Amino acid sequence: MECILITGGAGFIGSHSAERLLAAGQAVRVFDDFSSGRRANLPSHPQLEIVTGDIRDLAAVERSMAGCSRVLHLAAQVSVRASVEAPCDSASRNLTGFLNVLDAARRLGIGRLVYASSAAVYGQPRDLPLDEQSPVQPVSPYGLEKLINDQYAALFGSLYGLSCLGLRYFNVYGPRQDPHSPYAGVLSKFTDRLRQGQGLTVFGDGEQTRDFIYVKDVAEFNHRALFSEHSGVLNVATGHSRSLNSVITVLGSILGRAPEVTLAPRPEGDIVHSASRNDALTAALGTHDFVALEQGLRRLLEAG
Ligand code: UD2
């Protein structure tokens, strides 16, 4: 049976992707340094192997890839703010680490590499909705690193015929995203606070919009991407953006009471509106019934 390597497989998106692949009957090897990923995120499964290692260590990356035919590369420094505060450390994981994965994949003859790119490559978007042809203008080291990943992947495709696809995730939410990290997504923060009977803080007027995509939908597209031959980049989004105020209304209707909301100034650099088309995604990887926001928030509230 062929083995699929997931770097960062013990993390938020990685662990859901591992579950999806195991459910499809694949053997999965997780490579993770457990700096933020957790063993408890992963099931016990006879087809699951777990290897501890760091993507900055080329030999360790190569060893973990041996015997695998496809790679899902998700291991990264994922915080925009940390990339601003410590750009060298961020680049060592997101550039050198990425290059280690590409180089090992080329040398080991990996048939397919899918990796996490990000909506952050678009920076402060001017014309919405975004699509894959929209101008890229990162406003953080993190966004720049992801853009350079896309360029390196395209180069390795043309130089060595390596089959690569970058997935530009929009606002992914769902269980296992650590709400206590200062970099946690707004929905994991909100649901965590509500579970503890606390109020919510909204930065700005709450009219900012995001395309919130449930993590299991992302795992589904990761799975499909690994078995497709589409190369380049794809925006991974539902195609529908919602305002924070409308999210708060939905949370109130699920809980049967309106959350207490405090307004605070919007942080500098905060994006007001974000929206993406997903025509290219569904044309390349197939149509999909996305988990509705109401349903996803219910599941997130219940996950505890
Ligand atoms: C996301 C990513 C960020 C970067 C960016 C690129 C996360 C956590 N952040 O930022 O790393 O990739 O996309 O476009 O994945 N907010 C509140 N109250 C809170 C927390 C947040 O009002 O307690 C607001 C925040 O100011 C923003 C919105 O909610 O307007 C969404 O915040 P976010 O951090 O979840 O996501 P985003 O899109 O700003």
Side-chain angles (χ1 to χ4, degrees), residues 28 69 174 201 212 219 263:
V28 173
S69 52
T201 303
F212 294 108
L263 298 182

Side-chain angles (χ1 to χ4, degrees), residues 78-81 118-125 139-140 142-143 169-172 177 181-190 193 200-204 206 208-212 244 248 262 264-267 269-272 274:
V78 298
S79 158
V80 169
R81 206 184 320 164
S118 170
V121 301
Y122 298 111
Q124 283 278 0
V139 292
S140 64
Y142 174 82
Y169 302 133
F170 278 66
N171 290 69
V172 186
Q177 191 178 38
S181 145
Y183 320 110
V186 66
L187 300 191
S188 65
K189 271 190 178 175
F190 277 7
R193 291 184 67 82
L200 312 178
T201 303
V202 167
F203 302 136
Q208 62 263 57
T209 53
R210 294 292 186 275
D211 189 316
F212 294 108
L244 280 193
I248 292 169
T262 307
R266 192 192 297 283
D270 199 51
I271 289 167
V272 183
S274 172

